Each structure stands twice: as structure tokens, then as C-alpha cells.
């Protein structure tokens, strides 16, 4: 059993949770006042990365870097969206530079997917 196979269920879990959160946050942004743009941005990141995690879980055996990409994208989405939601509803973010850290993690996750093109399965 490869690392990708062992971690794929986690990607399914987070794909579902991010999809759910993305829809809920979109509704909150549509009906909320004040800093609704923060919640809308969190929704966008959740809805953009939920299908990516789903695809990584489905294709885990075909992409050697799926485990790395999924961890980076999952953690990055949690940090980015979590920081924006905390800022909107709690008045302060998770910790200084949480959203930018999450953003960089997501970007490096996408680069890990691209790098997978050069690591072929035997």
C-alpha cells in the first residue's frame, strides 16, 4: 500500500468538507453584511480546492506527488479560508500571516501536481 493510497481517504474527507463549507460560506456572503467579501473569498478557495482534492484522491495511484499536493492544498485551504472566516466573525485572524501562508501552501500544492508530470510510475 503506497502513501498515496493510505492518504486518499483523507482527501475525500476534506473534499467533502470543503465543498460543504464553500456552499455554506457562499450563502453567508450573499446574506451577510459588513465584511462579506472575506467570507466570499473563503468560499471561493473552498469550492476551488474541493474538486482538486477529489481528483487527487481518485488519481492517487497515477500521480506520485498526489500525497504532497493534497497535503499542501488541504492545509493551505484550511489556513487561508480559516483565517478569513476568523477575521470576519471573531474580529482577528488565526495568527499573523496565516492567510498568506495558506495561499503559498496552495500554490505549492498546484506546483506539486505539475511536478508529478516528471515522476513517472513504473
Amino acid at each position: 500500500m503506497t502513501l498515496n493510497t493510505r492518504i486518499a481517504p483523507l482527501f475525500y474527507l476534506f473534499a467533502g468538507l470543503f465543498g460543504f463549507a464553500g456552499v455554506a460560506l457562499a450563502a453567508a456572503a450573499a446574506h451577510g453584511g459588513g465584511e462579506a467579501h472575506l467570507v466570499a473569498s473563503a468560499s471561493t478557495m473552498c469550492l476551488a480546492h474541493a474538486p482538486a482534492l477529489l481528483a487527487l484522491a481518485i488519481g492517487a495511484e497515477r500521480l506520485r506527488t498526489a500525497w504532497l499536493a493534497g497535503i499542501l492544498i488541504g492545509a493551505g485551504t484550511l489556513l487561508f479560508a480559516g483565517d478569513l472566516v476568523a477575521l470576519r466573525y471573531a474580529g482577528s485572524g488565526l495568527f499573523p500571516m496565516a492567510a498568506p501562508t495558506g495561499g503559498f501552501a496552495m500554490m505549492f500544492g498546484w506546483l506539486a501536481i505539475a511536478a508529478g508530470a516528471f515522476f513517472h510510475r513504473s
Side-chain angles (χ1 to χ4, degrees):
M1 180 177 273
T2 67
L3 179 59
N4 282 350
T5 306
R6 289 192 309 257
I7 205 163
L10 183 65
F11 296 167
Y12 283 120
L13 173 67
F14 279 98
L17 293 175
F18 287 162
F20 176 87
V23 174
L25 291 169
H31 299 289
E35 302 286 323
H37 69 280
L38 295 171
V39 181
S41 292
S43 170
T44 300
M45 289 301 110
C46 287
L47 289 174
H49 292 99
L53 287 172
L54 181 60
L56 286 168
I58 291 168
E61 284 305 310
R62 300 190 70 189
L63 182 70
R64 279 189 167 200
T65 58
W67 66 273
L68 177 61
I71 288 170
L72 288 168
I73 288 172
T77 303
L78 281 173
L79 282 174
F80 187 89
D83 192 55
L84 294 180
V85 170
L87 185 58
R88 167 63 177 95
Y89 292 111
S92 66
L94 297 174
F95 57 86
M97 300 296 289
T101 301
F104 278 111
M106 289 183 287
M107 289 187 284
F108 283 114
W110 286 102
L111 285 178
I113 292 171
F118 301 103
F119 298 102
H120 300 286
R121 289 257 178 228
S122 47

